[in-house]
Amino acid sequence: MLNRINPQVRQFKQSGIRKFSEEAKTIPGVINFTIGEPEFNTDERIKDAAIKALHDNQTHYPNNTGIESLRRAVANFEHTQHHLDYIWEEVVITNGATEGLAAALMSVLCEGDEVIIPSPMYVTYAPIVTFCKAKVVVLNTINYDFQINSIALENLITIKTKLILITSPNNPTGTILNHNSLQAVSAMAKKYDLFILSDDVYSQLVFTDTYEMLCHDDSLRDRLIITQSLSKPYAMTGWRVGYVLADLPIARAIALMHAYLVAGVATFNQVAAIEALKIDSTWMRDSYHARRDLGYDLLMDMGLPCVKPEGAFYLFPNISEFKIDSETFCLKAMREYKVAMVPGVYFGADHNIRISYAVNDAEIIEGLARLKKMITDLRNHASV
Ligand SMILES: Cc1ncc(COP(=O)(O)O)c(C=O)c1O
């Protein structure tokens, strides 16, 4: 029966990140830089709120779009945090940003549409776009320090272009899009009447005060869709709570798609999410900032070129001097030197490797010492 399965689905492959992280787990003593997940546990106050919600029998089907109290809390939070004016009806509570992205793309895309995505890109985007029978058009940012070049962007736009998908801070690069990049996206979206999907899941994990977001440009409101998540800023990856913000007509369309996809998000998790939004988790951001400094300095010390990330918890150094592909490099690192990282090829950049530094300082120091040993051996012409 395999040949009767939807060919769009048949061509899906397991996420390369998972492939590496699963092998890493089987290697004793490995330092694991593969998974993009906070090492912290969820705050006790959030857990207590979920436990109380369970005891209060908040175990029934939620409203499809999310419980009103959480949608209102999100609207208030976004107002305070990012100075955004979305009314609570414009908030759709989703199963993490993953489902938010799927529901948003499925709501907007038609067969034959084109979606421009700056590369390197997060692994979830392309499969969903392809599933919608739309086409991923890759905007290469590697030659521009992971920024968006306006001319390169405009060159990719055709009559079929429907949406530009941006991520800032980015996974895998950790880069934030600068003013010119955002201006380019904004200008092209207006000129060619395009949607913009801004995947902002790392917006609370930013280490610079020059961070800009497209959502502050009111003239984009009717074409902008924002996906957000509680996973990273509150160490809640397993709770599966995120949300989408969009102008009311778009939010309503996404809410319908979401309702038919998943019916809703676990009620008690939504109650706990209200508690999460009250909590100041800037200490986590500050700790990632310190780890970024530690990791980046160690990479510089071993002479591995790397664009300095200004957010999220990833380093994305360039390994082109070794003249081996990123998968071979990472397999060797994991199996021989016991430091597990993700090949850049999975994100569209075969000359890079992704290091997730959401681990403790001792692991960063030891893991990067192992990487240094490997590249020293490679530089000394040890066999690959
Ligand atoms: C850029 C980006 N978007 C979306 C997600 C999905 O997050 P969630 O846990 O909310 O589904 C991730 C997770 O790693 C991510 O890095």
Side-chain angles (χ1 to χ4, degrees):
M1 294 301 277
L2 183 63
N3 62 351
R4 307 210 58 189
I5 287 177
N6 183 341
Q8 310 288 330
V9 175
R10 244 185 295 150
Q11 70 187 22
F12 285 171
K13 295 196 188 79
Q14 186 199 22
S15 146
I17 306 174
R18 293 279 166 160
K19 200 170 92 184
F20 265 75
S21 67
E22 273 158 32
E23 180 168 339
K25 280 186 209 147
T26 68
I27 301 176
V30 78
I31 301 283
N32 195 342
F33 290 143
T34 59
I35 279 275
E37 156 152 91
E39 57 135 354
F40 307 116
N41 290 321
T42 305
D43 190 291
E44 293 301 320
R45 289 166 287 182
I46 303 172
K47 292 188 219 167
D48 287 344
I51 293 165
K52 180 168 183 316
L54 281 169
H55 286 306
D56 291 347
N57 292 314
Q58 305 250 28
T59 53
H60 298 274
Y61 276 129
N63 177 301
N64 292 144
T65 318
I67 58 174
E68 185 178 326
S69 45
L70 176 58
R71 293 168 76 197
R72 285 186 182 278
V74 166
N76 284 338
F77 173 82
E78 287 292 341
H79 184 73
T80 322
Q81 183 83 14
H82 297 129
H83 313 292
L84 297 189
D85 285 319
Y86 283 94
I87 54 172
W88 70 271
E89 291 92 336
E90 292 173 315
V91 178
V92 182
I93 307 300
T94 58
N95 279 267
T98 304
E99 189 254 318
L101 284 158
L105 290 167
M106 287 171 158
S107 306
V108 166
L109 296 180
C110 305
E111 184 168 354
D113 285 343
E114 293 181 359
V115 177
I116 299 180
I117 314 181
S119 170
M121 72 179 78
Y122 177 55
V123 291
T124 291
Y125 304 148
I128 305 171
V129 172
T130 314
F131 186 78
C132 296
K133 298 190 176 164
K135 183 178 159 199
V136 174
V137 177
V138 172
L139 171 64
N140 210 318
T141 64
I142 293 171
N143 297 333
Y144 303 101
D145 282 349
F146 307 131
Q147 296 298 328
I148 293 174
N149 176 278
S150 177
I151 298 166
L153 174 60
E154 188 158 22
N155 282 341
L156 294 179
I157 295 175
T158 71
I159 191 84
K160 293 182 179 168
T161 310
K162 167 83 64 85
L163 183 144
I164 306 173
L165 200 171
I166 59 169
T167 322
S168 175
N170 181 278
N171 177 4
T173 67
T175 311
I176 63 170
L177 291 174
N178 63 22
H179 181 73
N180 289 346
S181 293
L182 294 177
Q183 275 307 109
V185 173
S186 157
M188 294 307 145
K190 285 188 217 163
K191 185 169 171 187
Y192 296 99
D193 196 19
L194 310 175
F195 283 103
I196 302 169
L197 202 172
S198 188
D199 184 17
D200 289 348
V201 301
Y202 296 101
S203 62
Q204 289 193 64
L205 304 181
V206 168
F207 318 137
T208 165
D209 46 19
T210 60
Y211 180 50
E212 284 183 45
M213 297 172 91
L214 275 186
C215 50
H216 293 138
D217 181 348
D218 244 7
S219 67
L220 294 174
R221 198 185 203 280
D222 62 344
R223 61 181 75 250
L224 182 66
I225 302 168
I226 298 167
T227 46
Q228 265 293 4
S229 173
L230 277 73
S231 290
K232 317 288 178 171
Y234 301 102
M236 288 178 71
T237 46
W239 295 71
R240 312 309 304 131
V241 185
Y243 52 93
V244 175
L245 300 170
D247 211 31
L248 196 55
I250 309 175
R252 284 195 174 131
I254 295 171
L256 280 173
M257 188 73 245
H258 156 86
Y260 287 118
L261 272 175
V262 295
V265 175
T267 312
F268 45 91
N269 285 357
Q270 294 194 54
V271 175
I274 299 172
E275 192 60 34
L277 293 176
K278 294 181 198 156
I279 287 173
D280 180 1
S281 66
T282 47
W283 66 270
M284 288 193 202
R285 178 202 61 201
D286 295 342
S287 87
Y288 295 132
H289 190 169
R291 292 166 199 203
R292 187 280 312 264
D293 289 343
L294 175 65
Y296 181 78
D297 288 349
L298 289 169
L299 289 180
M300 292 302 103
D301 174 56
M302 64 183 94
L304 219 46
C306 183
V307 176
K308 192 170 190 178
E310 291 187 297
F313 34 59
Y314 308 107
L315 292 154
F316 202 57
N318 185 298
I319 53 153
S320 50
E321 72 165 286
F322 305 107
K323 311 236 175 314
I324 47 176
D325 63 85
S326 59
E327 196 154 34
T328 308
F329 186 98
C330 287
L331 280 174
K332 185 177 176 69
M334 180 167 68
R335 292 175 183 169
E336 295 176 32
Y337 293 83
K338 294 198 175 190
V339 52
M341 301 160 295
V342 181
V345 69
Y346 300 153
F347 308 94
D350 205 13
H351 295 309
N352 295 73
I353 53 174
R354 191 191 77 170
I355 297 169
S356 170
Y357 58 81
V359 294
N360 63 45
D361 286 8
E363 286 178 295
I364 294 173
I365 292 167
E366 175 59 25
L368 292 184
R370 293 179 191 183
L371 177 62
K372 184 176 181 179
K373 167 91 176 81
M374 171 170 161
I375 67 173
T376 307
D377 290 348
L378 287 173
R379 283 174 180 152
N380 291 337
H381 304 294
S383 64
V384 174

